[in-house]
Amino acid sequence: MSKLNINITVDILLAAMDRSQYRIFNGELNLNIIGVRHKNTRANTFNDVLCVLFEKEGVWQLEQYKCTTDPGIYYRTNPCNVDGTAIVVPMQHRSLWTFGYHQGKYPALVQNKPVTVFRDGNKDETINTDVTTGNVIKQKGYFGINCHHANAKRESTQVDKWSAGCQVLAKPNDFDNFMALCQQSSKKWGDTFTYTLLDQQQLSDKP
């Protein structure tokens, strides 16, 4: 597996979820899908981590995949929406995803419930999430915020057009493993999945 950019352990994740008073899903293969957004949001690289935390035979397991949780530079400067590019708000988005096809092309997790996003409307390369600036608003709705992979054959290094707000895994093999876990989980827990997005600083117990 490629080297990840953020140090994450089971204990760190559980503590961060608890501090934020987010629900932690217990039970055999009951998935906690948790994105961790790197403090450097300017990079246009897959420097974030998608974590899958779950119990197996009573023991916590953690899978980690290189991903992006924010849009690439192309869609920051060329937003699809007149209000600006979509940036998923760090919070717990309950039952956000279900099984479907990304852009009708291949199996992925697709939006099932409304999602809360920032709309960054100044069309520069920097991610802006400060709603007091006048350039950023919050919206909740159905915006096609899916979880999918980037290049289908090899690991991607630049986000560019791979994300306009979706949560995107860099490596196709990682995505296949992730989807297999979701399929296994769905046999017991159903076919909707909650997504929790954390900022990197939320992993620390220091203010």
PDB file of all heavy atoms in Angstrom, residues 75-93:
ATOM      1  N   TYR A  75     -12.018  21.825 -10.966  1.00  0.00           N
ATOM      2  CA  TYR A  75     -13.386  22.196 -10.565  1.00  0.00           C
ATOM      3  C   TYR A  75     -13.414  23.295  -9.512  1.00  0.00           C
ATOM      4  O   TYR A  75     -14.464  23.885  -9.267  1.00  0.00           O
ATOM      5  CB  TYR A  75     -14.153  20.959 -10.095  1.00  0.00           C
ATOM      6  CG  TYR A  75     -14.513  20.059 -11.243  1.00  0.00           C
ATOM      7  CD1 TYR A  75     -13.911  18.820 -11.398  1.00  0.00           C
ATOM      8  CD2 TYR A  75     -15.436  20.464 -12.201  1.00  0.00           C
ATOM      9  CE1 TYR A  75     -14.233  17.994 -12.468  1.00  0.00           C
ATOM     10  CE2 TYR A  75     -15.760  19.651 -13.281  1.00  0.00           C
ATOM     11  CZ  TYR A  75     -15.154  18.423 -13.414  1.00  0.00           C
ATOM     12  OH  TYR A  75     -15.466  17.612 -14.482  1.00  0.00           O
ATOM     13  N   ARG A  76     -12.265  23.583  -8.893  1.00  0.00           N
ATOM     14  CA  ARG A  76     -12.209  24.767  -8.032  1.00  0.00           C
ATOM     15  C   ARG A  76     -12.291  26.032  -8.884  1.00  0.00           C
ATOM     16  O   ARG A  76     -12.923  27.019  -8.498  1.00  0.00           O
ATOM     17  CB  ARG A  76     -10.911  24.779  -7.210  1.00  0.00           C
ATOM     18  CG  ARG A  76     -10.744  23.594  -6.292  1.00  0.00           C
ATOM     19  CD  ARG A  76      -9.441  23.686  -5.494  1.00  0.00           C
ATOM     20  NE  ARG A  76      -9.057  22.372  -4.963  1.00  0.00           N
ATOM     21  CZ  ARG A  76      -8.037  22.179  -4.160  1.00  0.00           C
ATOM     22  NH1 ARG A  76      -7.295  23.204  -3.769  1.00  0.00           N
ATOM     23  NH2 ARG A  76      -7.747  20.960  -3.719  1.00  0.00           N
ATOM     24  N   THR A  77     -11.647  25.984 -10.038  1.00  0.00           N
ATOM     25  CA  THR A  77     -11.613  27.158 -10.917  1.00  0.00           C
ATOM     26  C   THR A  77     -12.701  27.137 -11.982  1.00  0.00           C
ATOM     27  O   THR A  77     -12.993  28.157 -12.601  1.00  0.00           O
ATOM     28  CB  THR A  77     -10.233  27.273 -11.598  1.00  0.00           C
ATOM     29  OG1 THR A  77      -9.947  26.056 -12.299  1.00  0.00           O
ATOM     30  CG2 THR A  77      -9.138  27.506 -10.557  1.00  0.00           C
ATOM     31  N   ASN A  78     -13.304  25.954 -12.191  1.00  0.00           N
ATOM     32  CA  ASN A  78     -14.389  25.806 -13.168  1.00  0.00           C
ATOM     33  C   ASN A  78     -15.542  25.038 -12.525  1.00  0.00           C
ATOM     34  O   ASN A  78     -15.839  23.903 -12.920  1.00  0.00           O
ATOM     35  CB  ASN A  78     -13.906  25.062 -14.414  1.00  0.00           C
ATOM     36  CG  ASN A  78     -12.772  25.768 -15.125  1.00  0.00           C
ATOM     37  OD1 ASN A  78     -12.998  26.652 -15.940  1.00  0.00           O
ATOM     38  ND2 ASN A  78     -11.541  25.382 -14.793  1.00  0.00           N
ATOM     39  N   PRO A  79     -16.212  25.630 -11.530  1.00  0.00           N
ATOM     40  CA  PRO A  79     -17.248  24.889 -10.803  1.00  0.00           C
ATOM     41  C   PRO A  79     -18.423  24.493 -11.681  1.00  0.00           C
ATOM     42  O   PRO A  79     -18.789  25.209 -12.618  1.00  0.00           O
ATOM     43  CB  PRO A  79     -17.675  25.864  -9.701  1.00  0.00           C
ATOM     44  CG  PRO A  79     -17.268  27.217 -10.190  1.00  0.00           C
ATOM     45  CD  PRO A  79     -16.048  27.015 -11.019  1.00  0.00           C
ATOM     46  N   CYS A  80     -18.996  23.330 -11.367  1.00  0.00           N
ATOM     47  CA  CYS A  80     -20.167  22.845 -12.105  1.00  0.00           C
ATOM     48  C   CYS A  80     -21.432  23.603 -11.696  1.00  0.00           C
ATOM     49  O   CYS A  80     -22.398  23.653 -12.461  1.00  0.00           O
ATOM     50  CB  CYS A  80     -20.384  21.359 -11.821  1.00  0.00           C
ATOM     51  SG  CYS A  80     -19.011  20.297 -12.260  1.00  0.00           S
ATOM     52  N   ASN A  81     -21.427  24.164 -10.489  1.00  0.00           N
ATOM     53  CA  ASN A  81     -22.594  24.831  -9.928  1.00  0.00           C
ATOM     54  C   ASN A  81     -22.353  26.340  -9.907  1.00  0.00           C
ATOM     55  O   ASN A  81     -21.245  26.792  -9.606  1.00  0.00           O
ATOM     56  CB  ASN A  81     -22.836  24.301  -8.507  1.00  0.00           C
ATOM     57  CG  ASN A  81     -24.135  24.790  -7.901  1.00  0.00           C
ATOM     58  OD1 ASN A  81     -24.303  25.965  -7.609  1.00  0.00           O
ATOM     59  ND2 ASN A  81     -25.067  23.864  -7.694  1.00  0.00           N
ATOM     60  N   VAL A  82     -23.370  27.107 -10.217  1.00  0.00           N
ATOM     61  CA  VAL A  82     -23.218  28.569 -10.275  1.00  0.00           C
ATOM     62  C   VAL A  82     -22.828  29.150  -8.919  1.00  0.00           C
ATOM     63  O   VAL A  82     -22.231  30.231  -8.851  1.00  0.00           O
ATOM     64  CB  VAL A  82     -24.508  29.242 -10.775  1.00  0.00           C
ATOM     65  CG1 VAL A  82     -24.774  28.896 -12.221  1.00  0.00           C
ATOM     66  CG2 VAL A  82     -25.702  28.885  -9.891  1.00  0.00           C
ATOM     67  N   ASP A  83     -23.137  28.428  -7.830  1.00  0.00           N
ATOM     68  CA  ASP A  83     -22.799  28.933  -6.496  1.00  0.00           C
ATOM     69  C   ASP A  83     -21.373  28.581  -6.081  1.00  0.00           C
ATOM     70  O   ASP A  83     -20.906  29.021  -5.031  1.00  0.00           O
ATOM     71  CB  ASP A  83     -23.777  28.373  -5.451  1.00  0.00           C
ATOM     72  CG  ASP A  83     -25.178  28.926  -5.636  1.00  0.00           C
ATOM     73  OD1 ASP A  83     -25.307  30.132  -5.938  1.00  0.00           O
ATOM     74  OD2 ASP A  83     -26.144  28.160  -5.492  1.00  0.00           O
ATOM     75  N   GLY A  84     -20.683  27.777  -6.885  1.00  0.00           N
ATOM     76  CA  GLY A  84     -19.310  27.421  -6.573  1.00  0.00           C
ATOM     77  C   GLY A  84     -19.113  25.927  -6.440  1.00  0.00           C
ATOM     78  O   GLY A  84     -20.068  25.142  -6.446  1.00  0.00           O
ATOM     79  N   THR A  85     -17.858  25.538  -6.330  1.00  0.00           N
ATOM     80  CA  THR A  85     -17.521  24.115  -6.235  1.00  0.00           C
ATOM     81  C   THR A  85     -17.960  23.549  -4.891  1.00  0.00           C
ATOM     82  O   THR A  85     -17.989  24.245  -3.882  1.00  0.00           O
ATOM     83  CB  THR A  85     -16.007  23.901  -6.452  1.00  0.00           C
ATOM     84  OG1 THR A  85     -15.747  22.529  -6.650  1.00  0.00           O
ATOM     85  CG2 THR A  85     -15.192  24.408  -5.277  1.00  0.00           C
ATOM     86  N   ALA A  86     -18.315  22.258  -4.870  1.00  0.00           N
ATOM     87  CA  ALA A  86     -18.801  21.604  -3.653  1.00  0.00           C
ATOM     88  C   ALA A  86     -17.647  21.055  -2.830  1.00  0.00           C
ATOM     89  O   ALA A  86     -16.770  20.370  -3.350  1.00  0.00           O
ATOM     90  CB  ALA A  86     -19.769  20.477  -4.017  1.00  0.00           C
ATOM     91  N   ILE A  87     -17.664  21.362  -1.531  1.00  0.00           N
ATOM     92  CA  ILE A  87     -16.689  20.838  -0.577  1.00  0.00           C
ATOM     93  C   ILE A  87     -17.477  20.229   0.570  1.00  0.00           C
ATOM     94  O   ILE A  87     -18.185  20.942   1.294  1.00  0.00           O
ATOM     95  CB  ILE A  87     -15.776  21.959  -0.049  1.00  0.00           C
ATOM     96  CG1 ILE A  87     -15.088  22.693  -1.210  1.00  0.00           C
ATOM     97  CG2 ILE A  87     -14.739  21.395   0.913  1.00  0.00           C
ATOM     98  CD1 ILE A  87     -14.590  24.073  -0.848  1.00  0.00           C
ATOM     99  N   VAL A  88     -17.411  18.927   0.723  1.00  0.00           N
ATOM    100  CA  VAL A  88     -18.194  18.257   1.756  1.00  0.00           C
ATOM    101  C   VAL A  88     -17.814  18.804   3.131  1.00  0.00           C
ATOM    102  O   VAL A  88     -16.634  18.938   3.468  1.00  0.00           O
ATOM    103  CB  VAL A  88     -17.990  16.729   1.702  1.00  0.00           C
ATOM    104  CG1 VAL A  88     -18.721  16.043   2.850  1.00  0.00           C
ATOM    105  CG2 VAL A  88     -18.487  16.178   0.364  1.00  0.00           C
ATOM    106  N   VAL A  89     -18.822  19.141   3.928  1.00  0.00           N
ATOM    107  CA  VAL A  89     -18.592  19.700   5.261  1.00  0.00           C
ATOM    108  C   VAL A  89     -18.183  18.585   6.224  1.00  0.00           C
ATOM    109  O   VAL A  89     -18.813  17.515   6.247  1.00  0.00           O
ATOM    110  CB  VAL A  89     -19.871  20.392   5.777  1.00  0.00           C
ATOM    111  CG1 VAL A  89     -19.709  20.825   7.234  1.00  0.00           C
ATOM    112  CG2 VAL A  89     -20.208  21.599   4.904  1.00  0.00           C
ATOM    113  N   PRO A  90     -17.134  18.808   7.026  1.00  0.00           N
ATOM    114  CA  PRO A  90     -16.772  17.813   8.031  1.00  0.00           C
ATOM    115  C   PRO A  90     -17.890  17.656   9.061  1.00  0.00           C
ATOM    116  O   PRO A  90     -18.201  18.580   9.814  1.00  0.00           O
ATOM    117  CB  PRO A  90     -15.509  18.396   8.674  1.00  0.00           C
ATOM    118  CG  PRO A  90     -14.945  19.331   7.643  1.00  0.00           C
ATOM    119  CD  PRO A  90     -16.153  19.912   6.965  1.00  0.00           C
ATOM    120  N   MET A  91     -18.508  16.500   9.089  1.00  0.00           N
ATOM    121  CA  MET A  91     -19.607  16.164   9.995  1.00  0.00           C
ATOM    122  C   MET A  91     -19.993  14.717   9.726  1.00  0.00           C
ATOM    123  O   MET A  91     -19.409  14.074   8.835  1.00  0.00           O
ATOM    124  CB  MET A  91     -20.813  17.090   9.780  1.00  0.00           C
ATOM    125  CG  MET A  91     -21.393  17.039   8.362  1.00  0.00           C
ATOM    126  SD  MET A  91     -22.808  18.157   8.093  1.00  0.00           S
ATOM    127  CE  MET A  91     -24.091  17.301   9.001  1.00  0.00           C
ATOM    128  N   GLN A  92     -20.977  14.223  10.445  1.00  0.00           N
ATOM    129  CA  GLN A  92     -21.473  12.874  10.172  1.00  0.00           C
ATOM    130  C   GLN A  92     -22.705  12.972   9.283  1.00  0.00           C
ATOM    131  O   GLN A  92     -23.710  13.567   9.661  1.00  0.00           O
ATOM    132  CB  GLN A  92     -21.807  12.142  11.470  1.00  0.00           C
ATOM    133  CG  GLN A  92     -22.126  10.673  11.256  1.00  0.00           C
ATOM    134  CD  GLN A  92     -22.076   9.867  12.542  1.00  0.00           C
ATOM    135  OE1 GLN A  92     -22.888  10.067  13.435  1.00  0.00           O
ATOM    136  NE2 GLN A  92     -21.108   8.939  12.629  1.00  0.00           N
ATOM    137  N   HIS A  93     -22.609  12.384   8.105  1.00  0.00           N
ATOM    138  CA  HIS A  93     -23.673  12.410   7.108  1.00  0.00           C
ATOM    139  C   HIS A  93     -24.358  11.044   7.145  1.00  0.00           C
ATOM    140  O   HIS A  93     -23.880  10.067   6.569  1.00  0.00           O
ATOM    141  CB  HIS A  93     -23.107  12.691   5.712  1.00  0.00           C
ATOM    142  CG  HIS A  93     -22.325  13.970   5.621  1.00  0.00           C
ATOM    143  ND1 HIS A  93     -22.896  15.163   5.265  1.00  0.00           N
ATOM    144  CD2 HIS A  93     -21.000  14.230   5.849  1.00  0.00           C
ATOM    145  CE1 HIS A  93     -21.965  16.118   5.264  1.00  0.00           C
ATOM    146  NE2 HIS A  93     -20.809  15.562   5.615  1.00  0.00           N
TER     147      HIS A  93
END
